[in-house]
């Protein structure tokens, strides 16, 4: 199975859940910028303090902050055999920075998996999840940010022949099966 993967999808589309399953079953790390940022906030680091306001509002944290985090993370030894990027890239500058980084390493992406779920299902899932930034207002803003800044990346990756789209609705194992098929095709 392809080993350098991106999971792309709206908030609540199941990226985190499927990323964790891929990590467990492929034996490669799930790299979630959301998790890295939440850890920085919890640790009270300078980076965390910078990121917190944007996260609380459902806005994107500055590109240079997340790009720096990813650059460091992908240089860790456990990422040498592949990884699942979950929640990164989320904007065109992030996608371009990732391309540059991977070209420099001579290890381009294998696949970008778009997890497609409808908005009603997503809002339901997010309200059930109940994370600190899962208030209805923040959810609405995260959806808008996804539509405006992240959705254009589908075209970006389609043009590079990397995109596969998978229905993210239904049973978790069924969705996993679809991802497995898509990345092996
Ligand atoms: P997530 O856990 O992926 O839903 O991310 C939670 C929050 O962290 C987002 O609403 C953003 O504020 C921030 N965040 C996570 N990943 C990124 C990213 N790639 N670029 C900018 N902000 C991000």
């Amino acid at each position: 199975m392809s080993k350098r993967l991106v999971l792309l999808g709206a908030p609540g589309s199941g990226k985190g859940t499927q990323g964790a399953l891929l990590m467990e079953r492929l034996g490669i790390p799930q790299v979630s910028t959301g998790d890295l940022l939440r850890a920085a906030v919890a640790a009270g680091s300078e980076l965390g303090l910078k990121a917190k306001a944007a996260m609380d509002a459902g806005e994107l944290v500055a590109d240079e902050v997340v790009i720096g985090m990813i650059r460091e993370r992908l240089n860790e030894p456990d990422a040498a055999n592949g990884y699942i990027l979950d929640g990164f890239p989320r904007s065109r500058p992030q996608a371009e920075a990732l391309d540059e980084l991977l070209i420099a390493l001579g290890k381009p992406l294998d696949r970008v998996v778009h997890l497609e779920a409808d908005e009603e299902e997503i809002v339901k899932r997010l309200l059930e999840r109940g994370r600190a930034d899962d208030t209805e207002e923040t959810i609405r803003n995260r959806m808008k940010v996804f539509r405006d800044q992240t959705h254009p990346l589908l075209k970006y990756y389609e043009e590079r022949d990397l995109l596969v789209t998978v229905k993210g609705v239904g049973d978790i194992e069924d969705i996993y099966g679809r991802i497995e098929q898509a990345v092996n095709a």
Side-chain angles (χ1 to χ4, degrees), residues 121-132:
E121 170 79 18
I122 282 176
V123 173
K124 191 175 138 247
R125 280 188 199 167
L126 290 177
L127 288 173
E128 279 169 5
R129 186 171 72 176
R131 212 171 65 193

Side-chain angles (χ1 to χ4, degrees), residues 42-148:
S45 69
E46 198 179 324
L47 190 153
L49 290 175
K50 266 196 221 165
K52 190 175 185 309
M55 293 173 78
D56 286 346
E59 299 288 344
L60 292 188
V61 172
D63 285 330
E64 58 271 24
V65 171
V66 287
I67 290 166
M69 271 181 6
I70 284 289
R71 188 175 291 127
E72 275 183 27
R73 183 64 188 86
L74 296 188
N75 275 323
E76 299 279 324
D78 69 333
N81 294 320
Y83 45 78
I84 305 124
L85 290 179
D86 157 12
F88 180 95
R90 256 172 155 100
S91 67
R92 177 141 186 147
Q94 292 179 21
E96 287 171 351
L98 179 63
D99 276 350
E100 271 175 38
L101 177 67
L102 298 184
I103 286 168
L105 295 172
K107 291 180 164 186
L109 291 174
D110 292 308
R111 285 283 191 286
V112 175
V113 179
H114 172 213
L115 267 180
E116 197 178 42
D118 73 43
E119 190 151 339
E120 254 174 67
E121 170 79 18
I122 282 176
V123 173
K124 191 175 138 247
R125 280 188 199 167
L126 290 177
L127 288 173
E128 279 169 5
R129 186 171 72 176
R131 212 171 65 193
D133 60 346
D134 284 340
T135 65
E136 199 154 343
E137 195 191 346
T138 310
I139 290 172
R140 215 174 294 125
N141 200 34
R142 297 218 304 276
M143 295 291 188
K144 184 179 182 317
V145 167
F146 176 77
R147 274 196 301 274
D148 294 348

Side-chain angles (χ1 to χ4, degrees), residues 6 12 25 48 100 102 147 151 160:
V6 169
R25 295 175 190 178
E100 271 175 38
L102 298 184
R147 274 196 301 274
H151 196 268
R160 285 156 181 78

